[in-house]
Amino acid sequence: MGRFSYPGILGLAPMAGVTDRAFRTVCRLWGAQFFFTEMISAESVLLDLEVVERMLPFEEENTAVQLYGSDPKKLALAARKVQHRASWIDLNAACPVKKVVKKNSGAALLKDLERLRDIVMAMKDVCDKPITVKIRIGFERNELEKIMETLVLAGADGVEVHGRTAVQMYSGKAQWDLKLDRWNIPAAISGDLYTVEDVQNAMNISKASAAILARGALRKPWIFHEFFHGKAPGVEEIRDMFLLHAKLLRELEGERSFYSLRQFVAGYTHGFSGAREFRERFMKLEGFEAIQNAIEEFFNRFLMNVGENKVVKEDGARA
Ligand SMILES: Cc1cc2nc3c(=O)[nH]c(=O)nc-3n(C[C@H](O)[C@H](O)[C@H](O)COP(=O)(O)O)c2cc1C
């Protein structure tokens, strides 16, 4: 196995409840270069829970399976079991949610570096695919140096760093000034990347080799397009991607998928006039056809008014 590097400079960060196969697919079409599944517990993999099959990548390139847990043996076994579905395996040592931390998983691993080391070593031992680790800069305070040294010594192939401590949750500003080129290991920066400029600044400041977008992709799914093309896509493209997203989600989750789709409506209508009223209406719609008709009606209004592929701005927000 040659040296690992992230397969591109801009990826979609893992988000539980968001980065399912449908959202990964639309972000890929917008230009995202690499992907992570939602976090999947090692225990559920070992128990063959039905939900796991739906969460694993299905013939998707450049997609890591993210696992969480606390037991080195279980994580190693789970990694070995799913590695044939993954481009590589990512260990979650970043999640600050109480339910996860209480079980010594997620960001709790940052408080127990021996366990973190044992987990990475155990996974490396049994896996043929690269092992990367997603971290925060520390649990209560910045201990990035110690954490990175531990990961490098344990043999991790790459690290994604969310520039906050776990106790910060999502408060304050994410730190980018992390000098991530100090360690001889590929590193991706995460945290507060909402615009193309944010991505460029974060990469320059952090010296990361890649960046991963989470809330930025949710708020504006075509941010990947903007990054690579220097401009927003046209109304038609946004409409068609929203429709495709609805269709993919329906294939994945069935008729009740419109509930999951609701979390994306703000993103797809970002910057369009009348978006607020539309979102309110959308939240009350039920059924695939109603959703489909509403999406077409909303976007076609702009196409009729200003001509094909013209992007309509709200307060000049989407120049
Ligand atoms: C809804 C949501 C779910 C998330 N789930 C995960 C997860 O499953 N695994 C993980 O490593 N990070 C998860 N994160 C953290 C993100 O990957 C990212 O590091 C963090 O949100 C900071 O980036 P941002 O400012 O671009 O959102 C989640 C974040 C959000 C907002």
Side-chain angles (χ1 to χ4, degrees):
M1 189 165 72
R3 193 173 188 270
F4 173 81
S5 57
Y6 290 97
I9 53 170
L10 196 58
L12 175 67
M15 281 183 278
V18 180
T19 56
D20 57 19
R21 202 178 299 154
F23 193 53
R24 293 196 299 268
T25 301
V26 295
C27 288
R28 186 186 296 273
L29 291 169
W30 285 128
Q33 295 170 305
F34 61 97
F35 310 85
F36 298 81
T37 63
E38 308 166 67
M39 57 194 256
I40 305 175
S41 90
E43 305 232 346
S44 63
V45 170
L46 297 178
L47 290 170
D48 274 325
L49 295 189
E50 212 179 305
V51 62
V52 173
E53 174 55 36
R54 185 151 42 89
M55 292 169 102
L56 289 176
F58 183 73
E59 295 179 356
E60 294 170 67
E61 278 180 10
N62 300 336
T63 306
V65 169
Q66 189 186 64
L67 295 175
Y68 73 100
S70 62
D71 181 57
K73 241 189 230 143
K74 285 185 183 167
L75 276 157
L77 285 173
R80 191 169 66 181
K81 193 165 168 184
V82 298
Q83 65 168 335
H84 66 289
R85 298 280 291 270
S87 304
W88 75 94
I89 303 286
D90 187 60
L91 169 69
N92 183 323
C95 179
V97 171
K98 226 191 223 157
K99 201 170 75 181
V100 172
V101 168
K102 228 171 51 195
K103 292 192 173 167
N104 299 319
S105 303
L109 298 177
L110 305 176
K111 290 193 289 189
D112 187 352
L113 295 185
E114 275 180 30
R115 184 190 291 269
L116 180 62
R117 178 200 62 199
D118 291 348
I119 291 172
V120 174
M121 287 175 77
M123 291 170 96
K124 286 293 297 176
D125 236 18
V126 301
C127 261
D128 304 322
K129 299 268 169 85
I131 306 290
T132 59
V133 184
K134 175 127 182 297
I135 62 170
R136 286 185 172 230
I137 56 176
F139 194 86
E140 281 178 43
R141 53 180 190 282
N142 185 342
E143 295 191 304
L144 184 62
E145 200 156 333
K146 258 171 45 187
I147 297 165
M148 289 297 286
E149 276 165 17
T150 303
L151 293 174
V152 171
L153 280 173
D157 294 288
V159 183
E160 307 91 53
V161 186
H162 177 186
R164 289 186 172 88
T165 62
V167 294
Q168 262 186 293
M169 301 294 280
Y170 286 89
S171 67
K173 253 203 85 53
Q175 285 187 48
W176 294 339
D177 186 12
L178 301 171
K179 301 181 181 66
L180 294 174
D181 59 351
R182 278 180 285 168
W183 300 276
N184 188 20
I185 185 172
I189 185 75
S190 168
D192 295 351
L193 306 179
Y194 293 109
T195 64
V196 170
E197 294 71 42
D198 288 341
V199 174
Q200 286 158 344
N201 288 337
M203 284 190 62
N204 285 337
I205 294 168
S206 67
K207 307 276 184 263
S209 51
I212 54 174
L213 299 172
R215 290 170 297 174
L218 188 56
R219 284 189 198 177
K220 196 205 265 186
W222 58 85
I223 186 167
F224 300 101
H225 176 104
E226 281 189 3
F227 185 83
F228 289 110
H229 293 87
K231 60 181 184 2
V235 177
E236 246 186 332
E237 272 179 89
I238 295 172
R239 177 198 66 193
D240 291 348
M241 205 68 96
F242 196 1
L243 288 169
L244 174 68
H245 194 165
K247 184 170 155 280
L248 292 171
L249 208 50
R250 187 193 194 197
E251 280 165 18
L252 192 67
E253 292 190 356
E255 292 308 314
R256 304 191 71 69
S257 63
F258 57 83
Y259 285 118
S260 308
L261 195 65
R262 286 177 181 170
Q263 64 183 322
F264 299 100
V265 62
Y268 282 109
T269 55
H270 179 102
F272 286 92
S273 60
R276 182 149 26 97
E277 295 77 9
F278 177 70
R279 283 169 215 154
E280 280 165 16
R281 192 157 73 81
F282 195 88
M283 294 303 165
K284 294 182 196 130
L285 293 177
E286 299 201 350
F288 184 70
E289 234 169 82
I291 294 266
Q292 208 175 14
N293 292 338
I295 294 171
E296 278 177 7
E297 191 188 309
F298 178 77
F299 287 101
N300 289 351
R301 211 162 40 99
F302 297 102
L303 289 173
M304 281 189 308
N305 287 345
V306 298
E308 235 176 74
N309 278 339
K310 289 258 166 57
V311 174
V312 173
K313 287 127 203 148
E314 181 181 74
D315 313 325
R318 285 183 56 213

